[in-house]
Amino acid sequence: MFEKNMELELLIEDMGVDGEGIGKSDGMPFFVKDAVVGDKVLVKITKMKKRYGYARLMRVIEPSPYRVQPRCAYYRQCGGCQIQAMDYAQQLRFKEKKVRDNLERIGGFPITDKAECKERGILFHPIIGMEEPFFYRNKAQFPIGTDKEGRIVTGFYAARSHQIIPNRKCYLGVDVNEKILDIVISFMEECHIRAYDEATGKGLVRHVLVRYGFTTKEIMVCLVINGRKLPHAEKLVERLRMLVGMTSITLNVNRRNTNVILGKEIICLWGQEYITDVIGGIQYQISPLSFYQVNPVQTERLYETALAYARLTGRETVWDLYCGIGTISLFLAQKAKHVYGVEVVEAAIADAERNAEQNGTDNITFLVGKAEEVLPQFYEEGQKNSVEAGEELMHTDVIVVDPPRKGCNQKCLDTILRMKPKRVVYVSCDSATLARDLKYLYEGGYELKEVQPVDMFPQSVHVESVCLLHRKDS
Ligand code: SAH
């Protein structure tokens, strides 16, 4: 009875994991992008499946008490801020529920049943939100293109496309982004420098990458270009360096016809190749190619929680798997005997080693490779060597993991179970894979003790969590 293009009135009763509103008509659920829980809406069906359908929001008939006026005029087209139309307190409730639901449904942990939660000794803490949930990003990457009239434009790609919607002001980024874009675009116009065209592979300027050190106020501008030389670069440098805090102006060479934004080569135009930032008293040097968390305020809270969960006294041997540029490793090293950091990207390990040196830290060993390969290899060799030398077997007190969205590899989890650390601290950016992995560790002898969701990406549907697990027999 439901078919495409049919119009319906729905009351939005729930939100899906991607921030879509969910409302039912005659028992049939419909997913409606941009609808907010509590809204009464008019929608048009765009696609029908057997048990559910998709519909487009046509009109809000009665706004939800949680609906707010989005700050950004482009929020529906952009897709970066899926839930900007929802007030921040409700965003936080939505994310907390997402973590709770995943732990319960996928992980099998009794999170909503308070009595059982208490009996099992699981503490689920309220999500840590931000006082100012806008302008929090320290990194922005703007694509540069040409519009139909031949003018140079910058903005963001329309959701699931490579069409640039012109906009220089993103409410998640810092104010200086706009000034930098104005300078770059007017420089390109004056000097007749063309924007890169993905269709033909011609033109020069592809992206502008900006990074900002929240603590140090240092600014980095990196122009990604389809070549090795930027004509009249001195004119651009002259204007950019007038901005207070400008520290690094570079080119990144990317001549490949690909979606990947950055190439491998960096050419310094002015200043140094990196900026410095400080999180929790630790200094980090960040180059255009380094991975660095985008929300420094919440990152500090996230790492502090991870460090607190590790309960270090100075005698512990700790592993930090998926360590990136060693951010968590450096936090842990302040209170551990020794830290081993493992990361698959070689350049990140080079950054990690430099960061450790800069901070005068000498109790970390960084290892390059996949966690699921490095960890078992190191463990087995360590055991073998101890047996041969007639020494006590090597032991690990705490293992911290911070994997990408797909979670930990099973071989990595199996090795953790064999190494039997007293505590495992799991930092996760995807609560579904987190729940899957926690279930596996639970079955292997670990109890879930604490869960702390942290809002690292306000206005988006993403949520970070830190979890503490104890070995049952320790
Ligand atoms: N802990 C760091 C980085 C977390 S992001 C921080 O907070 O900054 C996850 C990291 O895991 C990335 O740096 C990615 O390169 C790395 N990674 C992905 N797959 C991996 C694997 N199989 N083994 C080790 N590291 C991996």
Side-chain angles (χ1 to χ4, degrees):
M1 65 184 258
F2 294 108
E3 53 189 50
K4 195 174 163 175
N5 290 330
M6 220 165 118
E7 291 198 357
L8 300 170
E9 267 187 38
L10 296 176
L11 176 65
I12 302 299
E13 292 175 281
D14 203 357
M15 303 285 286
V17 288
D18 296 321
E20 339 80 301
I22 304 173
K24 284 185 184 159
S25 179
D26 272 338
M28 176 68 80
F30 286 91
F31 291 91
V32 187
K33 191 174 156 300
D34 304 320
V36 171
V37 66
D39 275 346
K40 197 169 156 195
V41 290
L42 179 71
V43 303
K44 193 180 206 169
I45 299 178
T46 51
K47 201 174 181 181
M48 270 324 291
K49 298 269 187 186
K50 242 194 215 138
R51 290 167 202 282
Y52 59 93
Y54 294 96
R56 189 193 336 274
L57 175 64
M58 305 300 285
R59 190 161 60 82
V60 178
I61 301 168
E62 245 176 69
S64 155
Y66 306 124
R67 180 173 274 281
V68 291
Q69 180 64 37
R71 288 207 197 176
C72 176
Y74 304 101
Y75 103 100
R76 280 185 77 170
Q77 285 158 286
C78 169
C81 292
Q82 305 90 350
I83 51 175
Q84 206 187 105
M86 194 150 79
D87 79 36
Y88 189 54
Q90 187 63 21
Q91 288 186 22
L92 293 176
R93 270 178 235 123
F94 162 76
K95 294 189 191 192
E96 212 179 278
K97 181 170 178 294
K98 185 163 154 176
V99 177
R100 216 183 271 277
D101 285 352
N102 279 331
L103 287 178
E104 207 153 280
R105 288 185 199 150
I106 303 171
F109 298 100
I111 304 291
T112 26
D113 186 330
K114 288 225 167 78
E116 207 178 330
C117 210
K118 199 170 168 196
E119 194 178 314
R120 292 262 302 261
I122 305 173
L123 283 172
F124 188 101
H125 300 284
I127 187 167
I128 301 176
M130 294 191 82
E131 289 84 57
E132 166 57 290
F134 287 96
F135 312 111
Y136 60 80
R137 283 184 67 99
N138 59 12
K139 173 182 162 184
Q141 302 182 110
F142 292 91
I144 306 286
T146 315
D147 69 7
K148 288 201 187 78
E149 281 76 46
R151 281 182 306 232
I152 293 165
V153 288
T154 184
F156 56 89
Y157 291 127
R160 287 179 300 278
S161 93
H162 268 218
Q163 187 206 340
I164 296 175
I165 311 277
N167 173 33
R168 297 183 193 183
K169 179 163 187 68
C170 168
Y171 284 86
L172 301 190
V174 290
D175 281 342
V176 78
N177 289 343
E178 222 177 322
K179 290 191 193 134
I180 292 168
L181 292 174
D182 290 347
I183 292 174
V184 172
I185 303 277
S186 54
F187 157 77
M188 287 177 67
E189 283 166 348
E190 279 167 38
C191 296
H192 306 287
I193 291 168
R194 284 168 58 205
Y196 178 72
D197 178 348
E198 282 182 321
T200 62
K202 296 223 163 68
L204 191 63
V205 182
R206 301 174 69 128
H207 272 88
V208 178
L209 163 70
V210 182
R211 282 184 136 158
Y212 178 71
F214 271 59
T215 314
T216 56
K217 311 226 177 332
E218 292 184 358
I219 304 168
M220 164 192 292
V221 177
C222 175
L223 251 63
V224 185
I225 60 170
N226 174 35
R228 297 195 75 254
K229 205 171 167 334
L230 178 70
H232 311 289
E234 69 291 344
K235 280 196 182 158
L236 178 68
V237 165
E238 201 177 295
R239 292 175 203 177
L240 284 176
R241 59 181 279 203
M242 299 314 283
L243 295 173
V244 177
M246 189 57 63
T247 304
S248 167
I249 306 174
T250 57
L251 298 174
N252 173 270
V253 183
N254 185 358
R255 305 177 92 152
R256 301 200 353 223
N257 196 346
T258 136
N259 282 345
V260 179
I261 295 177
L262 293 169
K264 289 203 168 85
E265 189 185 353
I266 302 286
I267 299 168
C268 195
L269 290 180
W270 181 82
Q272 49 191 46
E273 259 189 39
Y274 58 87
I275 57 168
T276 305
D277 198 22
V278 183
I279 296 185
I282 296 171
Q283 278 190 30
Y284 299 98
Q285 281 185 10
I286 311 147
S287 80
L289 297 174
S290 318
F291 172 89
Y292 188 60
Q293 297 281 0
V294 297
N295 182 337
V297 172
Q298 293 299 83
T299 297
E300 182 158 346
R301 294 171 173 162
L302 183 79
Y303 291 172
E304 270 168 3
T305 307
L307 180 62
Y309 285 178
R311 308 234 159 88
L312 302 177
T313 62
R315 291 190 296 268
E316 292 81 2
T317 302
V318 185
W319 284 77
D320 176 22
L321 307 179
Y322 311 88
C323 71
I325 59 166
T327 24
I328 297 178
S329 315
L330 278 157
F331 254 66
L332 297 166
Q334 301 174 98
K335 294 198 173 161
K337 186 170 97 194
H338 200 86
V339 178
Y340 293 92
V342 184
E343 162 63 46
V344 72
V345 175
E346 213 176 315
I349 288 290
D351 283 341
E353 271 165 353
R354 204 186 46 213
N355 285 331
E357 201 181 300
Q358 290 284 326
N359 287 284
T361 310
D362 58 6
N363 57 340
I364 313 182
T365 308
F366 289 109
L367 305 164
V368 184
K370 292 184 176 166
E372 61 271 24
E373 288 169 9
V374 172
L375 192 66
Q377 216 177 340
F378 194 94
Y379 175 65
E380 267 144 38
E381 264 168 38
Q383 298 303 78
K384 201 170 124 229
N385 292 345
S386 323
V387 170
E388 277 168 13
E391 289 166 359
E392 212 180 302
L393 292 181
M394 86 171 221
H395 86 280
T396 299
D397 300 285
V398 183
I399 297 184
V400 179
V401 298
D402 182 12
R405 283 190 198 161
K406 66 174 188 232
C408 289
N409 178 291
Q410 192 171 323
K411 219 174 143 200
C412 174
L413 294 175
D414 283 333
T415 313
I416 293 175
L417 294 178
R418 279 167 52 210
M419 289 169 78
K420 297 190 166 69
K422 284 196 259 329
R423 291 180 287 286
V424 174
V425 179
Y426 197 128
V427 183
S428 157
C429 55
D430 184 317
S431 53
T433 57
L434 167 73
R436 177 201 68 199
D437 291 350
L438 292 186
K439 181 167 193 248
Y440 195 76
L441 291 171
Y442 174 74
E443 284 160 1
Y446 282 82
E447 301 263 31
L448 179 59
K449 287 290 168 193
E450 297 197 44
V451 182
Q452 176 64 70
V454 180
D455 190 18
M456 293 277 274
F457 311 104
Q459 318 305 331
S460 87
V461 293
H462 302 293
V463 55
E464 201 92 8
S465 322
V466 192
C467 296
L468 169 66
L469 296 109
H470 276 189
R471 218 193 129 66
K472 274 183 209 153
D473 57 15
S474 75

